[in-house]
Amino acid sequence: SLIDPGMRIPPHITELTGITNQMVKGKPDFSKYVKYFQKIADTSILMGYNSKSFDSKALEKMGRMYQSYYTFENQLDIRDL
């Protein structure tokens, strides 16, 4: 799902991801997903590419902004395989 990041998306991020400001306009902010990520952190394995050094840290930081203090202890980063 796309979320409204609460700021304009810089051109270099749009170039990297293909996500534009127009695409996130009117989307919910991260607060809608905090409980979902808390559940994943508590019960599941987060899997991704470069997730240990980027994705999980960003999701944990966003959670803290909404007073949700979870940590992704169970991760599988494809880069490590």
Side-chain angles (χ1 to χ4, degrees):
S1 294
L2 294 174
I3 66 165
D4 181 344
M7 59 181 272
R8 300 228 9 107
I9 299 172
H12 71 280
I13 298 298
T14 296
E15 186 176 319
L16 178 68
T17 65
I19 300 170
T20 67
N21 289 300
Q22 187 63 33
M23 291 167 72
V24 299
K25 185 178 180 180
K27 300 293 183 187
D29 67 18
F30 191 78
S31 65
K32 179 178 178 181
Y33 301 98
V34 171
K35 289 182 182 181
Y36 172 75
F37 283 110
Q38 175 76 57
K39 182 178 178 184
I40 289 174
D42 291 344
T43 63
S44 301
I45 298 172
L46 178 67
M47 186 170 145
Y49 182 86
N50 200 27
S51 60
K52 284 185 180 178
S53 63
F54 180 75
D55 299 288
S56 63
K57 301 302 175 218
L59 292 169
E60 290 166 1
K61 182 178 179 180
M62 290 296 295
R64 288 191 300 273
M65 292 174 63
Y66 294 94
Q67 289 71 52
S68 187
Y69 302 94
Y70 50 81
T71 303
F72 290 96
E73 298 290 336
N74 298 312
Q75 292 189 59
L76 178 58
D77 192 327
I78 300 301
R79 269 185 30 173
D80 295 340
L81 296 180

